[in-house]
């Protein structure tokens, strides 16, 4: 390479344009590496570049079922060679396991949803009876609200199970989780860039949890009309919010520098984080409403890392 660049590992090119534009504005070369098309010469050193993982838990729904393994291979090689990595192997492992996420959130002293993980379909009925209704199901390796269904009694769940109405999770791990009830149908997503809180978004859940804030999801439908915005800035949630403070500390401990963490505020006064997204996309409506869009903040963050790399300054000396 003529100059250091940023290698972005991804599994969906449709999510890249906002970042490509932001990196172009910042003057930072961005080189996409699709996780479905990776070839590594293990006898050769990795590129002298900043490596950035945008692995998504839902990659298997886009025809890239082995994206987690590909990401771990590329990132492990880069880390072993001492390359600067943003959202490395620990972040990649966290992205594809809600069990791991809940374990870390609980260890950090945060309130997490009561959850049972089940690895055998035959054991689901008994597990549901022990868990008690109402509850929701979801997939351990999810994304896009995969596997999320509500059940108000165990009998209905058993009938759905017998009828084959529960989708098989790609990693074989089902989750039974307590039903959290919010005063209004929305959740909050706190965005972090460079390890620091950037902004919080109110996410409308009135139509369900298959939510996509990305620009590609906001395109007009068949009738030529764009869907109404589901995402809006929530300016009252700041860096001083108690949950944001704890989340920022947790992300730093795990070496995660870019993430979006979603949480519920419930009718009984709980604030419950339930999803850590280390592959984060941003709503165009929100990005247009803030002074510094998150995509630009990310590009500026990487510009600093590339300058350090070009100048031979170790990342640890930042």
């Amino acid at each position: 390479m003529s100059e250091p660049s940023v290698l972005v590992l991804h599994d969906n090119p449709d999510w890249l344009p906002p970042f490509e534009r932001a990196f172009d504005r910042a003057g930072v070369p961005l080189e996409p590496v699709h996780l479905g098309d990776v070839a590594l010469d293990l006898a050769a050193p990795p590129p002298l570049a900043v490596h950035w993982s945008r692995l998504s838990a839902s990659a298997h729904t886009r025809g890239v079922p082995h994206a987690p393994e590909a990401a771990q291979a590329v990132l492990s090689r880069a880390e072993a060679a001492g390359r600067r990595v943003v959202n490395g192997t620990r972040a990649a492992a966290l992205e594809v396991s809600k069990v791991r996420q809940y374990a870390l959130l609980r260890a950090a002293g945060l309130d997490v949803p009561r959850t049972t993980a089940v690895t055998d379909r035959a054991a689901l009925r008994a597990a549901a009876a022990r868990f008690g209704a109402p509850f929701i199901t979801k997939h351990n390796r999810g994304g896009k609200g995969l596997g999320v269904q509500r059940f108000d009694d165990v009998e209905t769940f058993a009938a759905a199970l017998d009828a084959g109405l529960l989708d098989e999770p790609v990693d074989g791990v089902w989750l039974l989780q307590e039903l959290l009830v919010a005063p209004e149908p929305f959740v909050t997503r706190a965005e972090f860039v460079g390890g620091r809180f950037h902004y919080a978004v109110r996410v409308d859940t009135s139509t369900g949890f298959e939510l996509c804030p990305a620009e590609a999801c906001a395109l007009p439908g068949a009738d030529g009309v764009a869907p109404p915005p589901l995402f809006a800035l929530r300016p009252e949630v700041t860096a001083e919010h108690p949950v944001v403070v704890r989340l920022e500390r947790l992300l730093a401990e795990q070496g995660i520098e870019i993430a979006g963490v979603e949480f519920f505020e419930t009718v009984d006064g709980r604030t419950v984080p339930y999803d850590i997204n280390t592959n984060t996309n941003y709503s165009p409506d929100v990005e247009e409403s803030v002074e510094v869009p998150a995509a630009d903040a990310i590009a500026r963050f990487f510009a600093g890392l590339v300058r350090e790399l070009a100048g031979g300054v170790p990342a640890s000396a930042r």
Side-chain angles (χ1 to χ4, degrees):
M1 298 180 193
S2 58
E3 60 180 314
S5 65
V6 175
L7 297 183
V8 54
L9 312 183
H10 72 97
D11 53 70
N12 187 0
D14 291 342
W15 289 345
L16 291 183
F19 300 104
E20 291 170 332
R21 293 193 295 269
F23 275 65
D24 186 61
R25 288 192 291 270
V28 179
L30 185 66
E31 297 190 26
V33 176
H34 194 276
L35 290 169
D37 183 23
V38 170
L40 298 178
D41 179 357
L42 298 183
L48 186 61
V50 180
H51 291 62
W52 173 26
S53 173
R54 283 184 47 80
L55 167 68
S56 168
S58 60
H60 59 286
T61 69
R62 291 180 293 278
V64 196
H66 302 300
E69 291 78 13
Q72 288 288 354
V74 176
L75 296 170
S76 295
R77 176 173 177 249
E79 290 173 352
R83 298 293 186 258
R84 181 63 164 93
V85 175
V86 174
N87 285 9
T89 52
R90 285 190 294 171
L94 198 66
E95 172 68 21
V96 297
S97 175
K98 287 185 170 57
V99 169
R100 185 185 294 264
Q101 293 177 23
Y102 297 148
L104 289 173
L105 288 165
R106 185 178 296 278
L110 289 151
D111 188 3
V112 297
R114 183 171 68 93
T115 306
T116 294
V118 183
T119 61
D120 179 7
R121 174 181 280 272
L124 278 170
R125 190 189 311 266
R130 290 192 301 270
F131 193 87
F135 61 83
I136 63 171
T137 60
K138 60 171 60 174
H139 293 175
N140 177 56
R141 179 181 162 191
K144 303 198 305 184
L146 290 174
V148 175
Q149 296 184 60
R150 172 176 173 167
F151 294 96
D152 291 320
D153 56 75
V154 175
E155 292 74 23
T156 302
F157 173 75
L161 186 61
D162 291 341
L165 299 179
L166 293 183
D167 293 334
E168 192 89 14
V170 68
D171 64 354
V173 181
W174 287 267
L175 303 181
L176 306 178
Q177 191 169 96
E178 68 173 306
L179 179 67
L180 298 172
V181 180
E184 298 179 58
F186 75 88
V187 297
T188 300
R189 181 177 171 114
E191 300 289 358
F192 299 84
V193 176
R196 305 300 298 272
F197 174 75
H198 191 66
Y199 59 54
V201 176
R202 185 188 192 276
V203 185
D204 185 340
T205 60
S206 59
T207 58
F209 280 85
E210 292 196 22
L211 304 169
C212 175
E215 178 181 271
C217 299
L219 296 176
D223 58 0
V225 179
L230 298 177
F231 306 87
L233 190 68
R234 196 174 173 199
E236 72 273 19
V237 176
T238 69
E240 287 71 42
H241 189 289
V243 167
V244 170
V245 170
R246 287 190 172 188
L247 289 173
E248 192 170 285
R249 186 180 307 126
L250 169 62
L251 295 175
E253 290 169 353
Q254 296 302 312
I256 297 169
E257 296 174 281
I258 299 174
V261 185
E262 296 172 11
F263 61 86
F264 271 101
E265 292 162 297
T266 69
V267 291
D268 53 354
R270 297 167 63 190
T271 301
V272 187
Y274 69 94
D275 196 13
I276 300 175
N277 300 273
T278 63
N279 166 57
T280 189
N281 293 295
Y282 305 103
S283 160
D285 297 302
V286 173
E287 291 282 83
E288 291 172 3
S289 71
V290 296
E291 182 178 353
V292 180
D296 285 285
I298 287 174
R300 295 175 189 178
F301 170 62
F302 276 100
L305 299 183
V306 168
R307 283 195 298 270
E308 290 173 1
L309 183 59
V313 179
S316 58
R318 288 189 295 126

